[in-house]
Amino acid sequence: MQYRKYDEYKLMHESINGFCGIILLSFAKEECEIKDIILRNSIAKASMSLKGIFAQWDIKNYQDGWAMYRNLLDRLFHIEHIAQNNQFQEFDDWSIYQQAIKQNLVKSDTRFQNSSPPLNAKMKARVKELLKNKPTWKRPKAEDVAKSMEMDFLYKYGFDMATMHTHPMSNDGAQDFHSITGIPTNEEFPDQITLLHDSILVVTLIIQNVLNYSSPKWRNIMWDFIEQLRFCLNDGNKNYGVTFIKIANKFGEQSTLCAENV
């Protein structure tokens, strides 16, 4: 495999941003239950994370970029685990419960003024019920999910490797020192282009999972775009650009890119 040049990754990134926007607006036309809301929001979060990774790369803040890449993988593993076990409601209950616990912790500490927005009556009732009946859902282990996907390398050489950038290491900031001060160094630092390559790949996996597991049935052209993006990562083929224009035109013409929920 040969890595692409920065400008090629930038073009892919711009197309992915537009593609994700079209998916999100397509979801907005549908009546979404909790499963599709979680999946829809996962697309939004992945798109924003990819923007953040490119921003970090542009300012040579590679370590934080790798930490964000790890978060992308964590999101991928969560989607896979939750969808395979049909635990969307359980995940939502657990999330609301955990958020309520943290907010109550702040409210009970007189040293800090609580600034969280008030809950509406429906959410108050739900939080009250969840606090009485603690959800038993647990976060999946990244390594186990990667193995279940038959992609253990995503854990070994992705998630686990990137974990080194989320916790302090003795040589953290070595490259940052020279980037900030401009002082020359004889040490050769990697160009970190793999961060952009791997992040785009993981985002395509997240998008693929969302399209696979969501209630709407998506047009084949959506899958074509994802596949062609991966071809571009591998050999530089830019057919994905033509396909994206077709998708954008269909969307602009109010053509339906997905069927109603079934």
Side-chain angles (χ1 to χ4, degrees):
M1 181 186 65
Q2 181 180 359
Y3 289 108
R4 317 261 52 90
K5 295 180 180 179
Y6 171 80
D7 289 346
E8 294 179 83
Y9 290 121
K10 190 72 172 176
L11 285 173
M12 281 186 267
H13 176 217
E14 291 170 357
S15 294
I16 290 171
N17 281 340
F19 186 62
C20 288
I22 288 172
I23 293 174
L24 296 177
L25 290 170
S26 297
F27 268 117
K29 297 178 182 179
E30 301 288 320
E31 290 292 331
C32 291
E33 299 295 335
I34 189 61
K35 178 182 80 169
D36 291 312
I37 291 173
I38 290 173
L39 291 172
R40 175 201 73 188
N41 290 350
S42 295
I43 287 276
K45 191 61 183 175
S47 179
M48 289 298 289
S49 294
L50 189 59
K51 289 180 184 179
I53 288 168
F54 268 80
Q56 297 305 314
W57 198 92
D58 287 341
I59 63 171
K60 300 182 179 180
N61 186 18
Y62 305 119
Q63 184 173 356
D64 288 346
W66 281 113
M68 296 175 73
Y69 164 74
R70 180 184 182 274
N71 289 341
L72 278 176
L73 278 169
D74 200 15
R75 191 164 303 280
L76 171 66
F77 295 147
H78 271 67
I79 293 171
E80 179 69 18
H81 175 80
I82 294 163
Q84 286 292 337
N85 294 282
N86 193 23
Q87 294 178 340
F88 290 98
Q89 187 60 60
E90 291 86 344
F91 176 54
D92 189 56
D93 288 343
W94 179 88
S95 298
I96 297 300
Y97 172 81
Q98 291 294 328
Q99 291 161 5
I101 289 293
K102 300 300 186 293
Q103 289 202 2
N104 284 345
L105 185 64
V106 174
K107 288 178 182 179
S108 64
D109 195 324
T110 57
R111 297 174 298 171
F112 302 98
Q113 182 178 359
N114 179 49
S115 58
S116 58
L119 301 175
N120 59 41
K122 183 178 179 180
M123 184 56 74
K124 278 185 178 179
R126 185 180 178 195
V127 167
K128 185 177 180 180
E129 183 62 28
L130 289 172
L131 289 173
K132 281 196 289 185
N133 299 285
K134 180 180 177 181
T136 58
W137 187 86
K138 294 182 179 180
R139 289 194 186 277
K141 292 184 178 180
E143 184 174 12
D144 293 342
V145 180
K147 287 180 179 178
S148 74
M149 297 170 68
E150 297 185 353
M151 293 184 178
D152 62 297
F153 55 87
L154 287 178
Y155 175 80
K156 291 179 181 178
Y157 311 122
F159 187 91
D160 196 38
M161 293 284 285
T163 297
M164 292 190 298
H165 298 288
T166 64
H167 305 297
M169 303 288 280
S170 65
N171 56 350
D172 286 350
Q175 187 170 1
D176 300 327
F177 171 82
H178 295 285
S179 296
I180 293 170
T181 63
I183 297 173
T185 175
N186 292 327
E187 186 174 357
E188 291 187 12
F189 295 107
D191 62 11
Q192 302 287 353
I193 202 69
T194 53
L195 171 60
L196 304 184
H197 180 282
D198 294 356
S199 296
I200 288 174
L201 176 59
V202 173
V203 169
T204 68
L205 291 171
I206 291 174
I207 296 171
Q208 176 180 305
N209 266 11
V210 169
L211 299 187
N212 273 336
Y213 295 129
S214 62
S215 299
K217 305 304 178 185
W218 301 85
R219 285 178 178 246
N220 289 339
I221 195 171
M222 307 294 275
W223 311 104
D224 293 342
F225 177 76
I226 295 172
E227 184 179 35
Q228 288 165 1
L229 269 176
R230 293 178 186 155
F231 285 148
C232 187
L233 287 172
N234 186 52
D235 60 17
N237 188 305
K238 294 181 174 58
N239 286 342
Y240 75 88
V242 176
T243 302
F244 175 70
I245 291 173
K246 291 179 181 178
I247 292 171
N249 286 340
K250 286 181 181 294
F251 186 77
E253 295 164 358
Q254 304 299 313
S255 296
T256 302
L257 293 170
C258 62
E260 292 183 0
N261 288 1
V262 292

